[in-house]
Amino acid sequence: MEIDLSPKLAKKLYGGDGGSYFAWSPSELPMLREGNIGAAKLALEKNGFALPKYSDSAQVAYVLQGAGVVGIVLPEKEEKVLPVKKGDAIALPFGVVTWWYNKEDTEFVVLFLGDTSKAHKRGEFTDFYLNGSNGIFTGFSTEFVGRAWDLEEDIAKTLVSKQSGKGIVKVCGANLPEPKKEHRDGMTLNCEEAPLDVDIKKGGRVVVLNTKNLPLVGEVGLGADLVRLDGSAMCSPGFSCDSALQVTYIVRGSGRVQVVGVDGKRVLETTIKAGNLFIVPRFFVVSKIADPEGLEWFSIITTPNPIFTHLAGSIGVWKALSPQVLEAAFNVDLATEKLFRSKRTSDAIFFPPPN
């Protein structure tokens, strides 16, 4: 059965004055269900506060825009309150409780990508808010709340019913904890400031998120990367050779993408733009060409230490094969094989635009 791989935009699920929550639906993007992947976005306005919650999925969060504060409580640990900004990636293992707050004028936008193999619904996150109109507190009777926390009935009623907001609220003048820079250590990595893993002049740059620079991703079970492709440059055709899926969100710019799958069939050829999300199936080969303004994307890979094989360039698999094999495989003469081998002699995975 053929699956639609077309890039999709997220749709708003709920929100109000404090901000909105968006998600991609597996009914519109079937590869989410097939790959057990969830994807969502949180957008907070000034003084927007996302109430404390936990999810049924391990996730990687990536700050797309603005700056804000995130509170994180790992199982049986004390709360850490982190200042976060554009470019920050945060690993969120199972069982972590988080809250998010924006005290700045600029909208604060966070992308969430994660593994839903153990979730209630394949391809979707299910969040459990601790309070609010749809929170855990609301579900329990005042008797149970009073007994559990040793509270008088009137206080229990207040805790159960006082917060009428759902998920996201606006809290003007709230005295929330101040973030501590030292709490960032081991919890987050700024992909825009981290050392580059790949840097090709007029081509592109890559920062890879793995267990070496953010060990917590090992608990999440996902790897990630931020790729910035210069104007009109090309990313070499390649595939994940360890059976991982590539889930790609376009952060900035636009360009073209082609994906080739089983039996050499081109299964996707389309234009991609900021806000699009698409998924490359296991072992399928993908390549992208940026438009003149450039192209930037953030991806998760469904393994914490991904391995990729590229087909072009000196590190490409074609260059590793012997000349005789290439002649026979392409059914060409020696001169054509030599011409093919003489091109793309650098070890780059990004190619600048033609002169």
Side-chain angles (χ1 to χ4, degrees):
M1 181 179 69
E2 292 187 1
I3 297 178
D4 180 14
L5 301 181
S6 301
K8 296 293 190 299
L9 298 170
K11 290 189 175 180
K12 181 178 176 179
L13 294 188
Y14 58 85
D17 292 341
S20 302
Y21 184 82
F22 304 81
W24 283 265
S25 169
S27 63
E28 294 188 356
L29 193 58
M31 273 303 298
L32 290 172
R33 185 180 292 109
E34 290 293 320
N36 272 318
I37 297 295
K41 277 197 302 186
L42 172 68
L44 293 179
E45 304 294 339
K46 184 175 182 178
N47 296 320
F49 178 50
L51 298 174
K53 69 179 176 72
Y54 61 93
S55 176
D56 65 353
S57 305
Q59 302 171 350
V60 172
Y62 181 73
V63 180
L64 297 170
Q65 178 181 308
V69 179
V70 56
I72 299 176
V73 181
L74 294 168
E76 300 183 356
K77 302 286 186 180
E78 292 185 355
E79 179 186 55
K80 290 191 174 184
V81 183
L82 289 63
V84 291
K85 63 180 181 179
K86 182 178 181 292
D88 277 343
I90 307 110
L92 302 174
F94 276 114
V96 66
V97 173
T98 63
W99 55 264
W100 304 79
Y101 176 59
N102 180 23
K103 61 180 180 181
E104 306 295 337
D105 292 330
T106 303
E107 189 179 39
F108 177 42
V109 184
V110 185
L111 173 71
F112 299 91
L113 300 173
D115 175 16
T116 64
S117 60
K118 298 179 181 179
H120 283 269
K121 300 176 183 178
R122 293 175 60 190
E124 297 181 50
F125 299 139
T126 298
D127 294 326
F128 295 83
Y129 285 92
L130 300 189
N131 59 341
S133 63
N134 62 334
I136 302 297
F137 251 80
T138 308
F140 282 108
S141 68
T142 54
E143 177 194 359
F144 272 65
V145 171
R147 289 281 298 274
W149 283 273
D150 191 22
L151 299 170
E152 297 294 333
E153 185 178 359
D154 58 336
I155 300 299
K157 285 182 178 179
T158 298
L159 288 171
V160 169
S161 61
K162 184 70 172 179
Q163 179 54 269
S164 59
K166 177 184 177 181
I168 301 170
V169 298
K170 196 165 188 175
V171 287
C172 297
N175 188 25
L176 291 171
E178 287 296 319
K180 297 180 180 180
K181 289 185 179 180
E182 59 268 27
H183 282 182
R184 290 176 55 88
D185 296 342
M187 299 296 295
T188 185
L189 177 77
N190 191 279
C191 296
E192 295 186 354
E193 299 174 355
L196 297 172
D197 293 280
V198 177
D199 186 7
I200 306 299
K201 185 178 180 181
K202 295 183 180 181
R205 289 153 297 286
V206 181
V207 169
V208 177
L209 187 71
N210 54 33
T211 55
K212 293 181 180 179
N213 51 22
L214 190 61
L216 202 55
V217 299
E219 294 186 35
V220 175
L222 302 169
D225 59 24
L226 176 68
V227 181
R228 287 168 282 182
L229 201 58
D230 291 334
S232 302
M234 179 183 191
C235 182
S236 167
F239 65 95
S240 171
C241 56
D242 51 6
S243 77
L245 291 164
Q246 301 176 60
V247 186
T248 299
Y249 176 85
I250 306 301
V251 176
R252 180 189 61 82
S254 60
R256 292 176 291 145
V257 61
Q258 290 187 358
V259 177
V260 176
V262 179
D263 293 327
K265 183 178 180 181
R266 190 183 309 150
V267 293
L268 180 65
E269 180 175 15
T270 191
T271 298
I272 46 179
K273 60 183 181 180
N276 281 157
L277 183 88
F278 70 100
I279 301 173
V280 179
R282 293 177 175 87
F283 301 111
F284 282 35
V285 179
V286 59
S287 182
K288 308 177 190 75
I289 297 177
D291 285 341
E293 72 270 24
L295 182 64
E296 180 177 332
W297 65 87
F298 182 80
S299 296
I300 64 162
I301 304 94
T302 55
T303 177
N305 295 295
I307 302 172
F308 288 95
T309 292
H310 290 274
L311 301 185
S314 65
I315 61 172
V317 64
W318 285 119
K319 293 294 178 76
L321 292 170
S322 61
Q324 297 90 335
V325 170
L326 291 184
E327 287 179 47
F330 281 113
N331 191 24
V332 296
D333 58 25
L334 178 61
T336 302
E337 188 280 328
K338 284 185 175 181
L339 178 64
F340 176 73
R341 187 177 293 275
S342 68
K343 301 294 184 178
R344 299 296 185 206
T345 56
S346 73
D347 61 358
I349 61 170
F350 302 128
F351 309 133
N355 295 325

